Amino acid sequence: MIRFFPDADWLQPMRGLLTLAMVGALGFGLAGGSPAFADDDDDDDHKDSAPLTGLEAYYQALDKEPAYASSHEEAVAKLVQNRDIAIPYDYIATLMRIPNAFGEGAACVVCHSSSDPETSYRGLDLTTCEGIKTGATQPPARPLFEPGNAGDSSLRRYLRNNRMPYGVPFDAPRDTANIQTIKMWIDDGALNDDVFQEDVLPLFKDPMAFGGFQPCTDCHMSNQEPPSFHELDLTSFEGIMLGADAIAHAAIGEEPTKIVIPGDSAASPLYQRLIENRMPAGIEPSENRDHPNIQILMQWIDQGAKCE
Amino acid sequence: MIRFFPDADWLQPMRGLLTLAMVGALGFGLAGGSPAFADDDDDDDHKDSAPLTGLEAYYQALDKEPAYASSHEEAVAKLVQNRDIAIPYDYIATLMRIPNAFGEGAACVVCHSSSDPETSYRGLDLTTCEGIKTGATQPPARPLFEPGNAGDSSLRRYLRNNRMPYGVPFDAPRDTANIQTIKMWIDDGALNDDVFQEDVLPLFKDPMAFGGFQPCTDCHMSNQEPPSFHELDLTSFEGIMLGADAIAHAAIGEEPTKIVIPGDSAASPLYQRLIENRMPAGIEPSENRDHPNIQILMQWIDQGAKCE
Amino acid sequence: MIRFFPDADWLQPMRGLLTLAMVGALGFGLAGGSPAFADDDDDDDHKDSAPLTGLEAYYQALDKEPAYASSHEEAVAKLVQNRDIAIPYDYIATLMRIPNAFGEGAACVVCHSSSDPETSYRGLDLTTCEGIKTGATQPPARPLFEPGNAGDSSLRRYLRNNRMPYGVPFDAPRDTANIQTIKMWIDDGALNDDVFQEDVLPLFKDPMAFGGFQPCTDCHMSNQEPPSFHELDLTSFEGIMLGADAIAHAAIGEEPTKIVIPGDSAASPLYQRLIENRMPAGIEPSENRDHPNIQILMQWIDQGAKCE
């Protein structure tokens, strides 16, 4: 989405800057003990005592680090997230109320406007801070997050995770025999047994198992990306149990993301992804999963979801 | 606007899903007596008692019904309109206050912010619920809608109907001799007389009759669409009096949309379309006339335009 | 961004209208003593006493004036700016609170939410009218504008002016030796001396002087546009001291825009452009610098920045 140039032909000489756009900024000044609100925030005063250095280190960092554009999204990450700027509830209230807050889509409060399940889906009231923190009141009642822990919240999943198969309509049925088969296999321990081999594994190769027209294994066929999205292999028991992003995570010393938790379908991403629609309903799956406002909402939760 | 795929080349295997995007969802689960807020709303719990069926019926429905994408717009239609979810005034207040609420454009309240016609166009105050319901206070004072009847409201016209000719600037003059000629012909009974044949009919073939550079009949030349938009024929008295969408409406047992109400120019779409600018002023005519927020605003009116 | 047509092939006959889109409206009716809120505002009543003229003058004006599209931006200029419609603080409060108010970007209040510099950049509180008018409270404290004078405000600069070089990341260092050299040269009187010739002038030809990969002189190489942006010549002392837009301004009887104020680096656009990031941080430099909401915010300031 980064458009650095208008379309006029005589802009040609500027195109070289595209290189810059691609390598972007690296925020290295934010590491290494630089105090919050130091002089790389935005102001026009220049401190005479400031070090007359920086440019060399900047270009060195551009050389060394993987390149990325310094977008509005990066700015929010660097200025708001990295410095843990306090997010006031007032801004969260705005995000709940306006359309297009997390990409093009309806406002949250259109469907979740009170704790009455007769007039508001799940009895979820996103119009007040208490309502947001209470979560769904319709049985089974449950919160959307625990304050301080955005990473494990269902709210994060709902805003980021596209329902699978990719592009399946939000109202494709979710209580089908096929989805039940997967649920029960997980709840029964996720064994490499006859049920798995005969009933579960073939579903991932079936183009019409889950409401789409293409098998899961068209996109998740090995532990290598590309071509396999998220390094996820749905063609074998071993691949499924290994989980996602094994190689990428290993490179940073982390475990793969398990997609099956034996005995617990509700906690298993494999099952969640088949039944949970990304919100707001009908949002295009290509919308930015790292939208700045999703990051800000998560930051507010991590900061304790304070109502003042 | 549906973009299902990022641009990376190795996404090629996923392109088949585009088919799915095109056929989309059909919402059949919402018909046939399924209770509101049944288990096709968005949640991750699976009821063990749920029927283990649905997939077959889903694919059958996809086969049978005309295909459409399950977009954010469809989601609002299915989840909010079809179930008549109560729209709180709070959300309407938001729509009046923010830019880009109905497509890219200025906020309504920029121009309509009080009942004083000296500082607010038409003395229309869209900053309060009472102001919205009162409508224009500048003589001739009149409301924008009758609560409970969004379909016949002028507000609906203003948000949906592009001024004609298509693309004419909002400030092209509207009190010209040509427009007056049409107005008076309608008010005089809309007869197939000499006035019509000599003064009115030629205007629709004149490329510069109404501020544009192309005759009306370039787009409205027969009762067949395509090529004639809205199956509207402005080349003959019979076509004009037949009105729009005769064939499409007949297929569902409805009458054509009359564009001339003899004796009543103010109620005649032919005249309205020449003088009424779509709102917000300057909005691109290609913006979605079925924008979800227009639907929601109409739903609020149909629900009685309640101020709580 | 004006899209006048959907994509269907059978729309071909309408393409001629593109001409109209290009010539657009000229708003001539707004000049020449037409009273505010005269009958070219948007309404459907037709005054029988209205003059039966206007179309001829309209087409003549289209012939005479340079052509432009009648966009949402033009509509705001004609309906709100030209008529000096009072902008209520309520709308300014909305602009501060919502994302994407001035193009795609974070909401102002995300970073500027209180007068406490520990939690809000510069101690700038954009959540209240008083806070907006107070400006930065962190030393050196200073306002963003003087009520009644939007043109000279730093707020205008911050919303419109892209940091240079074009596309440089917002967090590229700003206290480098090179930028200091320019600052000191200006503060020392901006003479055509050895410092200028040996230390300053070469920087504009150095592709990596300021965090980019292309020299300033690639885009600002003469007093002629095209190819030189803003008719700005950074290749010589004379060019730099002449300033920007000399020819364009002369055509309307105005002086060039000085980019160097000898002795006052803080007031010199040459220095400002190197250290001031456009807001919101990370906004794409290609976003509309004449965004309707920027115009409206400036209008509010020019009207006295009233808090009611």
Side-chain angles (χ1 to χ4, degrees):
Chain A
M1 284 308 211
I2 309 283
R3 305 178 306 271
F4 275 83
F5 306 102
D7 291 329
D9 279 347
W10 55 281
L11 284 171
Q12 209 55 41
M14 287 182 77
R15 307 257 174 221
L17 273 173
L18 200 52
T19 312
L20 177 59
M22 300 308 290
V23 298
L26 293 158
F28 56 90
L30 300 176
S34 72
F37 302 96
D39 65 347
D40 58 340
D41 61 357
D42 194 81
D43 202 67
D44 57 6
D45 62 311
H46 182 82
K47 298 182 180 59
D48 287 335
S49 60
L52 297 183
T53 57
L55 194 57
E56 195 178 353
Y58 164 81
Y59 280 112
Q60 280 171 1
L62 286 183
D63 268 354
K64 213 166 61 182
E65 296 271 338
Y68 61 89
S70 182
S71 62
H72 140 237
E73 176 185 327
E74 288 300 323
V76 169
K78 291 174 182 175
L79 296 175
V80 181
Q81 287 193 285
N82 291 1
R83 298 183 182 193
D84 197 29
I85 296 293
I87 307 297
Y89 168 66
D90 188 54
Y91 188 61
I92 304 304
T94 299
L95 295 182
M96 298 295 113
R97 276 170 171 73
I98 60 173
N100 311 324
F102 306 107
E104 189 176 336
C108 303
V109 299
V110 170
C111 288
H112 301 293
S113 60
S114 88
S115 58
D116 178 1
E118 292 299 311
T119 62
S120 168
Y121 281 83
R122 285 281 149 211
L124 174 60
D125 182 7
L126 298 179
T127 68
T128 68
C129 188
E130 276 314 305
I132 295 169
K133 295 176 80 167
T134 299
T137 64
Q138 185 181 30
R142 61 198 140 185
L144 295 167
F145 55 83
E146 295 302 323
N149 185 2
D152 291 335
S153 68
S154 61
L155 183 57
R156 183 173 185 274
R157 292 205 313 268
Y158 278 122
L159 287 171
R160 289 175 46 92
N161 290 1
N162 289 309
R163 180 165 163 202
M164 292 287 125
Y166 190 90
V168 70
F170 76 93
D171 53 359
R174 302 182 300 165
D175 52 3
T176 63
N178 289 343
I179 293 178
Q180 277 290 294
T181 296
I182 289 173
K183 176 185 179 5
M184 289 186 291
W185 169 71
I186 296 174
D187 287 336
D188 287 347
L191 303 175
N192 189 0
D193 55 10
D194 286 355
V195 168
F196 176 78
Q197 291 296 338
E198 286 164 27
D199 297 340
V200 173
L201 192 57
L203 293 176
F204 303 125
K205 300 173 182 168
D206 177 353
M208 293 171 77
F210 304 112
F213 292 95
Q214 204 175 15
C216 302
T217 52
D218 265 17
C219 296
H220 302 294
M221 73 292 273
S222 79
N223 294 120
Q224 189 88 29
E225 175 176 350
S228 185
F229 280 82
H230 281 293
E231 306 171 357
L232 179 59
D233 177 14
L234 295 181
T235 69
S236 71
F237 182 78
E238 292 71 24
I240 291 168
M241 300 312 286
L242 177 62
D245 296 316
I247 298 171
H249 284 192
I252 53 172
E254 293 186 3
E255 295 292 307
T257 301
K258 293 294 176 194
I259 67 165
V260 171
I261 312 296
D264 190 352
S265 61
S268 297
L270 178 64
Y271 178 65
Q272 291 168 346
R273 286 298 188 99
L274 291 169
I275 60 165
E276 293 183 352
N277 284 311
R278 182 170 166 192
M279 291 286 111
I283 190 170
E284 291 179 28
S286 60
E287 287 279 359
N288 185 1
R289 299 172 67 235
D290 299 308
H291 192 289
N293 284 330
I294 299 178
Q295 305 297 334
I296 288 171
L297 179 55
M298 295 302 112
Q299 183 165 334
W300 176 73
I301 293 172
D302 279 335
Q303 290 172 342
K306 292 175 190 138
C307 290
E308 67 261 22
Chain B
M1 284 310 215
I2 308 284
R3 305 177 308 269
F4 275 84
F5 306 102
D7 291 329
D9 279 348
W10 55 281
L11 284 171
Q12 209 54 41
M14 288 181 76
R15 308 256 173 220
L17 273 173
L18 200 52
T19 313
L20 176 58
M22 301 310 289
V23 299
L26 292 159
F28 56 89
L30 300 176
S34 71
F37 303 96
D39 65 347
D40 59 340
D41 61 358
D42 194 80
D43 202 66
D44 57 5
D45 61 310
H46 182 83
K47 298 184 181 56
D48 286 335
S49 60
L52 297 183
T53 57
L55 194 57
E56 196 177 353
Y58 165 80
Y59 279 112
Q60 281 172 0
L62 286 183
D63 268 353
K64 213 166 60 182
E65 296 272 338
Y68 60 91
S70 183
S71 62
H72 139 237
E73 175 185 327
E74 287 301 323
V76 168
K78 291 174 182 174
L79 296 174
V80 180
Q81 287 192 284
N82 291 1
R83 297 184 184 193
D84 198 29
I85 297 293
I87 307 297
Y89 167 67
D90 188 54
Y91 188 61
I92 304 304
T94 298
L95 295 182
M96 297 295 114
R97 277 170 170 72
I98 60 174
N100 311 325
F102 306 107
E104 188 175 337
C108 303
V109 299
V110 170
C111 289
H112 301 294
S113 59
S114 90
S115 58
D116 177 1
E118 291 299 311
T119 62
S120 168
Y121 281 83
R122 283 284 148 211
L124 174 60
D125 182 7
L126 298 179
T127 69
T128 69
C129 189
E130 276 314 305
I132 294 170
K133 296 176 79 166
T134 300
T137 65
Q138 184 181 30
R142 63 198 139 187
L144 295 167
F145 55 82
E146 294 302 322
N149 185 1
D152 291 335
S153 68
S154 61
L155 182 57
R156 183 173 185 274
R157 292 205 312 268
Y158 278 122
L159 287 171
R160 289 174 46 92
N161 289 3
N162 290 309
R163 179 164 162 201
M164 292 285 124
Y166 190 90
V168 71
F170 76 94
D171 52 358
R174 304 181 299 165
D175 52 3
T176 62
N178 290 343
I179 294 179
Q180 278 290 294
T181 296
I182 289 175
K183 176 185 181 358
M184 288 185 291
W185 168 72
I186 296 174
D187 286 336
D188 287 346
L191 304 175
N192 189 1
D193 54 10
D194 287 354
V195 169
F196 175 79
Q197 292 295 339
E198 286 163 28
D199 298 340
V200 172
L201 192 57
L203 293 176
F204 304 126
K205 300 173 183 169
D206 176 352
M208 293 171 79
F210 304 113
F213 293 94
Q214 204 174 16
C216 301
T217 52
D218 265 17
C219 296
H220 302 294
M221 75 292 272
S222 76
N223 293 121
Q224 189 88 29
E225 176 176 351
S228 185
F229 281 82
H230 280 294
E231 306 172 357
L232 179 59
D233 178 14
L234 297 181
T235 68
S236 70
F237 182 79
E238 292 71 23
I240 290 167
M241 299 313 286
L242 176 62
D245 297 315
I247 298 171
H249 284 192
I252 54 173
E254 294 185 2
E255 294 292 308
T257 301
K258 294 294 176 194
I259 67 165
V260 171
I261 313 296
D264 190 351
S265 61
S268 297
L270 178 65
Y271 178 65
Q272 291 168 346
R273 286 298 187 99
L274 291 170
I275 60 164
E276 292 184 353
N277 284 310
R278 182 170 166 191
M279 292 284 110
I283 190 170
E284 291 178 29
S286 59
E287 288 278 359
N288 186 1
R289 300 172 66 234
D290 298 308
H291 192 290
N293 284 330
I294 298 177
Q295 305 297 333
I296 288 171
L297 179 55
M298 295 303 113
Q299 183 164 336
W300 175 72
I301 293 172
D302 279 333
Q303 290 172 342
K306 292 175 190 140
C307 290
E308 66 261 21
Chain C
M1 283 311 211
I2 309 284
R3 304 178 307 270
F4 276 83
F5 306 101
D7 292 330
D9 278 350
W10 55 281
L11 284 170
Q12 209 55 42
M14 289 181 76
R15 307 256 173 221
L17 273 174
L18 201 52
T19 312
L20 176 59
M22 300 308 288
V23 299
L26 293 158
F28 57 89
L30 300 176
S34 71
F37 302 95
D39 66 347
D40 58 339
D41 60 356
D42 195 80
D43 202 67
D44 58 5
D45 62 310
H46 183 82
K47 298 182 180 58
D48 285 335
S49 60
L52 297 183
T53 58
L55 194 57
E56 196 178 352
Y58 165 80
Y59 280 112
Q60 282 171 359
L62 286 184
D63 268 353
K64 213 166 61 181
E65 296 273 336
Y68 59 91
S70 183
S71 63
H72 139 236
E73 175 185 327
E74 287 301 321
V76 168
K78 291 174 182 173
L79 295 175
V80 181
Q81 287 192 284
N82 291 1
R83 298 185 183 192
D84 197 28
I85 296 294
I87 307 298
Y89 168 66
D90 189 53
Y91 188 61
I92 303 304
T94 298
L95 295 182
M96 297 294 114
R97 277 170 170 71
I98 60 173
N100 311 324
F102 305 107
E104 188 175 338
C108 303
V109 299
V110 170
C111 289
H112 300 294
S113 59
S114 90
S115 58
D116 178 2
E118 292 299 311
T119 62
S120 168
Y121 282 83
R122 285 284 147 209
L124 174 60
D125 182 6
L126 298 179
T127 68
T128 69
C129 189
E130 277 312 307
I132 294 169
K133 296 176 79 166
T134 299
T137 64
Q138 185 181 29
R142 65 199 136 185
L144 296 166
F145 55 82
E146 295 301 322
N149 185 1
D152 291 335
S153 68
S154 60
L155 182 58
R156 184 173 184 273
R157 292 205 312 267
Y158 278 121
L159 287 171
R160 288 176 46 92
N161 289 3
N162 290 309
R163 179 164 162 202
M164 292 287 124
Y166 190 90
V168 69
F170 75 95
D171 53 359
R174 303 181 301 164
D175 52 3
T176 63
N178 290 342
I179 293 178
Q180 277 291 293
T181 295
I182 289 173
K183 177 185 181 355
M184 288 184 293
W185 168 71
I186 296 174
D187 287 336
D188 286 346
L191 305 175
N192 189 0
D193 54 10
D194 287 354
V195 168
F196 175 78
Q197 291 295 339
E198 286 163 29
D199 298 340
V200 173
L201 192 57
L203 293 176
F204 304 125
K205 300 173 182 168
D206 176 353
M208 293 172 78
F210 304 112
F213 293 94
Q214 205 176 15
C216 301
T217 52
D218 266 17
C219 296
H220 302 294
M221 74 292 270
S222 77
N223 293 119
Q224 189 88 30
E225 175 175 351
S228 186
F229 280 82
H230 281 292
E231 306 171 356
L232 179 59
D233 177 14
L234 296 181
T235 67
S236 71
F237 182 79
E238 291 71 24
I240 290 167
M241 300 312 287
L242 176 62
D245 297 315
I247 299 171
H249 284 192
I252 54 173
E254 294 185 3
E255 294 292 308
T257 301
K258 293 295 176 195
I259 66 165
V260 171
I261 313 296
D264 191 352
S265 61
S268 297
L270 177 65
Y271 177 65
Q272 291 168 345
R273 285 299 187 100
L274 291 170
I275 60 164
E276 292 183 353
N277 283 311
R278 182 171 166 190
M279 292 284 110
I283 190 170
E284 291 179 29
S286 59
E287 287 278 0
N288 186 1
R289 300 172 67 233
D290 299 307
H291 192 289
N293 284 331
I294 298 178
Q295 305 297 333
I296 288 171
L297 178 56
M298 295 303 112
Q299 183 165 336
W300 176 73
I301 293 172
D302 279 334
Q303 290 171 342
K306 292 176 191 140
C307 290
E308 66 261 23

